[in-house]
Structures are given as C-alpha cells and as structure tokens.
Amino acid sequence: MYNYMRFLKTISCLLLTFSLSVQAQKGFNINIKVQGLNDSLLILATYSGDKQFITDTAFRNKTNGYTFSADTLLPEGMYIIANLSKVKLFDFIISGKQVITITGDIDNIPASLTSKNSEENKILFDYINFLSAKQKEMAILQQSKAQFQANSDTLTFIANRIQLVNEEVLRYINGIINTHHGKFISVFLNSMQEIEVPPAPILSNGRPDSLFAFNYYKAHYWDNTDLSDGRLVRTPTLHSKVEQYITKLTHPIPDSLVKSIDKLISMTGNNKETFKYLIWYLTTKYEASEIMGQDAVFVHIVDTWYGDQRMTWMNPTVKQNLIKKANTLRPILLGKIAPEMILIDTLQQPISLHAIKKKYTIIFFWDPDCGHCKKETPLLKDLYENYSKRLDLEVYAVCMDTSWNDMKKYIIQNNTKWINVNGFYSMTPDFRELYDVHSSPVLFLLDEKKKIIAKKILSEQMKNLIFKREGIKE
C-alpha cells in the first residue's frame, strides 16, 4: 500500500528546503579576504552618475575577512570596496547571484584578485590583468618607437607590432562582449567601445568632407551604449560619456542642447533608473548654469519631462519648487518681451519701462549697500555718458532698497542722470519675482521692442554686445 503519510512528509521537507533556498537568494552576501589588509572596517559603495554612495560597511572578522550582507538584493552594477580612509581598493561587479567571495593580496591589487561564485568578476579581473599587460607592452613599443628615424625598417616593424597589439586587445574585448551577451560585463565593456569612423567621402570639389568625421561620430556616439539598461548608471563611465556628448559634441546654444537632451532621455526607453539619473543631472546642471541663455534648457526639461509617469521618484516639494522656478524663468528667457514694470521715480512719478522709446534699454537692478554695485555703477555710467546718444540707449535703474534717503544719496554721489526708480514702490507685480532677481547688481539688455537680448552680464559685456550688433569697431 502506498505510504501516504511518508509522501506528505517527503513533500513537506522538499517544500521547506525549496523555501529556505529561495529565502537565501533574496539577500546579498559578499565576502572579502585580502591578505595584508588590516583595516578594522571596509566600505561597500556604488557609483551613481558622477557620485559614489556608501551602501554598507563590514568589520574585520575573526578570520581576518569582511562580510557584507543583508536580506535584500542590491541593484546590479559596478561596486567599490574602499578602506577605512575611503580610499578605493578595487571595483567589482554585482550581477546575478549575489553570493560572492573575493580574495587577493594588498600588495598586488588588482593583479592578485580572484573570485569564487561569480563568473563575471572572474572575467572582469582577467580583463584588467590582460589589459594591464598589454598596456605595459604598448608602453615599451612606444618608447622604442621614439628612438628610430622615420621610414626605417625597425620603425615599420614597431608600428606593425603596435597595430597587432591593438587588434589583439580588441579581439579579447569583443570575445567577452559576444560570448556573454546580455550579462552586465558585456553591456559595460560594450559601452566603452569607441566608434570607428570610416574615411570621409570626397566632395564635388575633390576634397574630403571636413565635417564628416565629427558628424558621423556624434550620430553614432551611442551605438554601443544601451541607455535603457539602468545598470550602467552604477558604473564609473556613463557620466563622463554623457558629459562629453553634451559639452563637447553639442553646440552650447539652447536649441542644440535641447535636441541632444531629448534624444538622450528618449533613448532610456521605459527604464526608470537612467531616466532619473539624466533628469536630475541635467536639471541641476542647467538650473544653475552661469552661461547666458542656458536657463531655457532648464525650462524645456521641466516643461517636457516633468509630466512623465516616471517622475514619481522626485520629492514633491522639490519638484514643485523646480516647476515654480521654471514658471518664473519662462517669461524672461532670451527673445521674450521683458515684463512691464511701472515704478515710482525720485519725483514720485510712475515710470513705465515699456514707454521708453529707445533702441536699447538696460535694466539695472542695484542696491545702495552692494559692494559690487559700487564697482559696476561707474562702469555703466561711463557707457551711458559716452554712448547713450550714439547708440540711442537708456538705463532704467531699479533700486532694490526701500529707503528713499539711501537711494537718493547714492544717486547724488554717483551723479547718475538716467531713469532712477524704486522697485518697492510699484504699480506692477514684485520686480524680484518678475525678473528672478535676488542679488545685485543684475543687468538686462532690451531692444527697441523691449525684447530681452542679453541678461545677467555686466556693462563691458553689454557694450561689446551692442557694438557687435551695430557693427561698431573701437
């Protein structure tokens, strides 16, 4: 007769074993044992764009090893082991099963590093050692190359050997990428592969297209990098790659920057991690940009991407403050009509900014107690007195102090004969909110239609810009 109770007992044991196995795989367990390492504590950290963050710490145990562990899994990517002084000892990979043992010798890192239970770390350490050996070989060849004259047979031999070494390295890397497709080590190494630019086509004038190499390189820059793979955020290379694309391969004007940024973010697909990294990095970069006109990039990011369903990660208060900042900046971007201000002058008369009939108007926000204003006022006065008639220019000087006495005293001391008004005695909304002015001095340059053509630059730059527009050479 079939023993039903024994069957139930067996199944129960199997289920318990399976349950314990599954439970054990829910967390990470990383064992580090480096001979000669005597620090009382090690740090486990991870990359996040251009920053590194501490993930865990481990004290030295009785066997002179260090164990990092928790009941939860870590996000996959590149991680750092650092000593108590926060000096990096080595990088390693967390991917797949997160039970990893790494051993080595403190006097021979990274060459001595070995890994158990982690094929990807074995591949990584072997790759590092292979690359190190080839770099040494290449250095010797380059040094030898400098000792021979051009066109000599020996020099040709060395050049051929250098090419062979480069090809050997490329084959080695491509072997890893192709053999381990989809694994983190493959994705990571592939993202570091440089784009090969083919020869430039010949134009109708018989010359090679001089712009081909740049345009091809930019167009194919991301061919080897999968921005929809969030694991790349936790590497030391992605941020520099993004930074190069934005600052070196994109013309630093808003229209070009916006096009490149939208392309980058669109390439993240539905991945939340890369999206979060790009949005935060680009928001902070352009919200605080010191380059005139690039605040339009920040406004575009908010307007285009802050409504995305993946924006749930941002603190609601921070998000609303950034949206508020974008709403403030939007009306005062370059090319916009400057907001109207009707402020009271020293004769207690309302003076309209938009009523000024001049080809150029400079708005000058200043404060009587501002040290920088005291340096800038004479420079602006020199521009006004020497060129106001020639350039058809007026200055609308807005005092940022409520005291009439201090304002008038400053005007008399500096003998400024332009339009002087007080920002706090107004028939229009608060000038500080209208123009995002919270310090001084701040200058805006307007054309005859009161369109903003420059802002937050000083008098000398204002003069140079106007001269350039007018075709005037000093």
Side-chain angles (χ1 to χ4, degrees), residues 4 12 41 62 81 91 150 160 176 230 250 317 335 432:
Y4 186 69
S12 297
L41 177 142
K62 294 179 180 179
I81 294 296
D91 290 322
N160 290 335
I176 296 173
T250 303
T317 302
R432 294 168 296 184

Side-chain angles (χ1 to χ4, degrees), residues 100-119:
I100 302 168
T101 297
I102 296 174
T103 60
D105 189 321
I106 192 63
D107 294 325
N108 193 22
I109 289 178
S112 63
L113 293 176
T114 59
S115 174
K116 295 180 181 179
N117 307 325
S118 174
E119 181 187 10

Side-chain angles (χ1 to χ4, degrees), residues 186-202:
S186 174
V187 173
F188 173 61
L189 291 181
N190 197 38
S191 72
M192 294 195 295
Q193 295 293 86
E194 277 291 345
I195 300 300
E196 293 186 16
V197 180
I202 305 300

Side-chain angles (χ1 to χ4, degrees), residues 126-140 165 169:
D126 288 346
Y127 160 75
I128 292 171
N129 290 332
F130 171 82
L131 206 60
S132 177
K134 292 304 171 183
Q135 286 171 343
K136 291 176 182 177
E137 185 178 349
M138 188 69 78
I140 293 171
V165 172
V169 170

Side-chain angles (χ1 to χ4, degrees), residues 4 14 24 26 37 52 62 84 94 149 169 174 187-188 217 244 257 273-274 286 352 358 366 376 379 384 386 431 434:
Y4 186 69
L14 288 172
K26 286 184 178 180
L37 181 62
Q52 297 89 43
K62 294 179 180 179
L84 188 56
I94 291 183
Q149 294 181 351
V169 170
N174 285 334
V187 173
F188 173 61
Y217 185 75
Q244 180 177 345
L257 289 167
E273 293 177 285
T274 320
Y286 292 105
S352 164
K358 294 289 183 180
W366 63 278
E376 188 61 27
L379 299 175
Y384 184 76
N386 291 320
F431 71 93
L434 284 177

Side-chain angles (χ1 to χ4, degrees), residues 52-200:
Q52 297 89 43
F53 295 99
I54 294 175
T55 301
D56 198 4
T57 57
F59 289 99
R60 188 172 58 186
N61 56 37
K62 294 179 180 179
T63 61
N64 294 323
Y66 306 81
T67 299
F68 302 92
S69 62
D71 294 333
T72 55
L73 291 173
L74 291 170
E76 294 188 358
M78 189 76 74
Y79 282 73
I80 302 163
I81 294 296
N83 64 18
L84 188 56
S85 301
K86 297 184 180 179
V87 176
K88 184 174 78 170
L89 299 178
F90 58 88
D91 290 322
F92 73 105
I93 291 170
I94 291 183
S95 178
K97 188 177 180 182
Q98 297 187 9
V99 178
I100 302 168
T101 297
I102 296 174
T103 60
D105 189 321
I106 192 63
D107 294 325
N108 193 22
I109 289 178
S112 63
L113 293 176
T114 59
S115 174
K116 295 180 181 179
N117 307 325
S118 174
E119 181 187 10
E120 290 192 64
N121 278 304
K122 182 182 184 305
I123 295 168
L124 175 67
F125 297 152
D126 288 346
Y127 160 75
I128 292 171
N129 290 332
F130 171 82
L131 206 60
S132 177
K134 292 304 171 183
Q135 286 171 343
K136 291 176 182 177
E137 185 178 349
M138 188 69 78
I140 293 171
L141 289 169
Q142 293 289 0
Q143 188 177 11
S144 300
K145 184 179 176 182
Q147 299 173 4
F148 296 94
Q149 294 181 351
N151 301 321
S152 70
D153 291 341
T154 305
L155 192 61
T156 302
F157 172 81
I158 294 172
N160 290 335
R161 181 58 191 157
I162 289 173
Q163 183 177 348
L164 288 173
V165 172
N166 283 327
E167 290 173 356
E168 185 181 359
V169 170
L170 192 59
R171 282 196 303 272
Y172 185 93
I173 294 172
N174 285 334
I176 296 173
I177 292 170
N178 296 328
T179 304
H180 303 279
H181 182 74
K183 291 186 177 181
F184 175 77
I185 186 67
S186 174
V187 173
F188 173 61
L189 291 181
N190 197 38
S191 72
M192 294 195 295
Q193 295 293 86
E194 277 291 345
I195 300 300
E196 293 186 16
V197 180

